[in-house]
Amino acid sequence: MTKTVCRYSAVIRILCVLLAAVFLSGCAKQELDEPELLLGFSQLGSESAWRIGNTRDIEEKAEQYGVSLMLENANQKQENQIAAIRRFIAYQVDVIAFSPIVEEGWDNVLLEAKDAGIPVILVDRDISTENEDLTRCHIGADFYREGVEAAEYLIRKTDSEGMDHVRIVEITGTEFSTPMQQRQAGFMDTIRDDERMEVMESVNGDFLKSRGAECMQDLLERYGNDIDVVFSHNDEMTLGAIPEIEKAGYRPGEDILIISIDGGQDAIDVLKEGKINCVVECTPMLGSALMETALKLKAGEQVERLIHPKEEVFSDEQDLTKIGPRGY
Ligand code: GZL
C-alpha cells in the first residue's frame, strides 16, 4: 500500500511540474508575442495599382517587423480618414500614420492626436499646415522631381526628333493632392522657358483609369490631330487614355508621345510595347521606412523629418529588357 501511495505521489509531483512548465512557457510566449508597437494607418483608397501595391507592402512589412497594424481604407473620402484617425486616438494606438488624400483640412484632428501624445507619420502624400509639429515625419516621393524628370525627358525627345512646336495636353491627378500639385509644378517649371512647348489644356483625371479614358476622349474631340504629347500624372489614367487614342486612329508612342508616372507592371509592359515613351517611377514600397520610423518613435528616438525613396526613370532611350518584375 505505502509503495503504491509513494508511486502515485511521485507521478502527481511530475505532472504538477510539467503543468507548471507548460503554463509558464505559455506566459513567456504570450509576453514574447506582445507586439511592441500598435500602429494605426489610414489608407486613402484603392484607386490605382500603385495604391493597392502600397497597402500590400505596408501589410507585409508590418508582419515582417512584428508590428500590430490597424489599417482602415477611406475609399477616397477625407472625412473617412479623419474619422479613422479619431478612432486610432480613442484606441490609444502608439503611432498614427496616414496618406492624406488632399493637403488641406487636417489641423484639428492632428491637434487631437498631439494632445493625446500620439506621434503622426505622413505616408506618400503631404499636408499643408502652419503647424510644423503636428507630424513627425513625411515618407514619400519627391513629386516635384518626378514632374521635372517627365519634362526633361520631353525636352530630350524634342531635341532628338527635331520638333519645333510641341503641343501638350496634361491629365492631372486628384486636385489639391501633393502629387498632382508637385508633378504639375515640376513639369511646368522645367518647360516654361522652352519656346517650342505649348500646353494646350490640363484636365483632372483624379488618378482613375475610367477618368483617364473620359479625359482623353474629350481632349481628342477638342484637339484631335493637334496633340503631340500626353503628360499623365499616373499609369492608371495613362492606361485608360491609350485605347481612346487608338480608337481615334492615332498610334500612341508614335503619333502622340505618352509620358506617365508610377512605374507599375502594366505600364512598364506597355512601355516595352512602344505605346508609352517614358514612365517616371514613383515607388509604393514605403512599408519598411514606415515600420522603422514608427518603431523609433515608440522607442523615443529621433527620426528624420523627410524620407524620399530612391526612384528611376524608364524610357524609350534605354534597353527596356533590363527592367525586372515591378511588384505592383
Ligand atoms: C503617388 C500617389 C499617387 C500615385 C497614384 O505617391 O499618391 O496616388 O501616383 C495614386 O497612382 O493614386
Side-chain angles (χ1 to χ4, degrees), residues 189-322:
D189 289 352
T190 305
I191 65 168
R192 179 164 293 116
D193 298 334
D194 188 327
E195 287 166 7
R196 299 170 294 179
M197 305 292 173
E198 176 195 355
V199 178
M200 297 195 288
E201 188 160 352
S202 288
V203 289
N204 174 18
D206 213 10
F207 287 130
L208 297 171
K209 187 171 190 172
S210 56
R211 286 285 303 129
E214 289 162 12
C215 290
M216 198 67 236
Q217 274 171 8
D218 293 346
L219 291 165
L220 285 162
E221 277 159 24
R222 280 205 295 284
Y223 302 103
N225 221 30
D226 288 345
I227 299 175
D228 298 312
V229 181
V230 175
F231 169 46
S232 166
H233 286 194
N234 86 327
D235 295 344
E236 222 64 35
M237 299 187 297
T238 303
L239 295 167
I242 285 173
E244 299 309 319
I245 292 171
E246 292 175 315
K247 273 186 227 164
Y250 301 102
R251 295 168 301 169
E254 295 178 59
D255 302 325
I256 297 179
L257 299 178
I258 311 286
I259 302 171
S260 187
I261 302 179
D262 275 350
Q265 190 62 58
D266 291 349
I268 295 299
D269 292 347
V270 174
L271 171 73
K272 291 181 176 179
E273 287 170 29
K275 293 185 177 179
I276 296 176
N277 303 88
C278 174
V279 179
V280 178
E281 182 185 30
C282 175
T283 180
M285 308 306 185
L286 306 174
S288 293
L290 171 56
M291 299 309 150
E292 287 162 13
T293 304
L295 286 164
K296 282 181 182 171
L297 287 171
K298 173 75 188 301
E301 295 171 21
Q302 281 304 311
V303 297
E304 296 172 76
R305 279 294 308 173
L306 178 60
I307 299 174
H308 280 329
K310 288 186 179 44
E311 296 174 329
E312 296 185 60
V313 178
F314 305 111
S315 81
D316 55 10
E317 304 158 300
Q318 304 156 5
D319 173 3
L320 299 174
T321 59
K322 292 195 167 69

Side-chain angles (χ1 to χ4, degrees), residues 61-307:
K61 295 301 188 306
E63 185 84 27
Q64 189 180 312
Y65 281 76
V67 168
S68 180
L69 178 68
M70 291 173 71
L71 187 146
E72 294 204 22
N73 187 316
N75 297 313
Q76 309 293 118
K77 289 186 170 48
Q78 180 174 28
E79 60 268 27
N80 290 350
Q81 291 200 279
I82 291 171
I85 292 169
R86 288 200 165 109
R87 278 192 289 278
F88 297 150
I89 294 168
Y91 206 82
Q92 296 180 2
V93 298
D94 297 307
V95 177
I96 290 170
F98 73 114
S99 179
I101 187 165
V102 292
E103 293 202 342
E104 303 286 345
W106 304 99
D107 279 27
N108 290 342
V109 72
L110 294 182
L111 211 49
E112 292 167 28
K114 183 167 182 274
D115 292 346
I118 303 175
V120 176
I121 299 170
L122 294 168
V123 175
D124 173 26
R125 302 185 183 178
D126 201 353
I127 63 170
S128 169
T129 178
E130 301 297 318
N131 208 334
E132 279 302 307
D133 65 0
L134 289 178
T135 59
R136 303 290 295 277
C137 177
H138 173 213
I139 302 167
D142 181 346
F143 302 112
Y144 183 88
R145 188 196 60 77
E146 292 170 351
V148 170
E149 293 283 3
E152 286 179 347
Y153 166 79
L154 179 56
I155 290 168
R156 292 195 303 271
K157 189 74 173 179
T158 301
D159 293 342
S160 64
E161 302 283 310
M163 298 163 80
D164 54 17
H165 184 202
V166 182
R167 291 156 302 190
I168 304 159
V169 293
E170 181 189 30
I171 305 178
T172 76
T174 304
E175 270 189 309
F176 313 119
S177 69
T178 314
M180 178 267 164
Q181 294 177 132
Q182 295 291 311
R183 285 169 181 168
Q184 184 174 70
F187 186 87
M188 299 305 172
D189 289 352
T190 305
I191 65 168
R192 179 164 293 116
D193 298 334
D194 188 327
E195 287 166 7
R196 299 170 294 179
M197 305 292 173
E198 176 195 355
V199 178
M200 297 195 288
E201 188 160 352
S202 288
V203 289
N204 174 18
D206 213 10
F207 287 130
L208 297 171
K209 187 171 190 172
S210 56
R211 286 285 303 129
E214 289 162 12
C215 290
M216 198 67 236
Q217 274 171 8
D218 293 346
L219 291 165
L220 285 162
E221 277 159 24
R222 280 205 295 284
Y223 302 103
N225 221 30
D226 288 345
I227 299 175
D228 298 312
V229 181
V230 175
F231 169 46
S232 166
H233 286 194
N234 86 327
D235 295 344
E236 222 64 35
M237 299 187 297
T238 303
L239 295 167
I242 285 173
E244 299 309 319
I245 292 171
E246 292 175 315
K247 273 186 227 164
Y250 301 102
R251 295 168 301 169
E254 295 178 59
D255 302 325
I256 297 179
L257 299 178
I258 311 286
I259 302 171
S260 187
I261 302 179
D262 275 350
Q265 190 62 58
D266 291 349
I268 295 299
D269 292 347
V270 174
L271 171 73
K272 291 181 176 179
E273 287 170 29
K275 293 185 177 179
I276 296 176
N277 303 88
C278 174
V279 179
V280 178
E281 182 185 30
C282 175
T283 180
M285 308 306 185
L286 306 174
S288 293
L290 171 56
M291 299 309 150
E292 287 162 13
T293 304
L295 286 164
K296 282 181 182 171
L297 287 171
K298 173 75 188 301
E301 295 171 21
Q302 281 304 311
V303 297
E304 296 172 76
R305 279 294 308 173
L306 178 60
I307 299 174

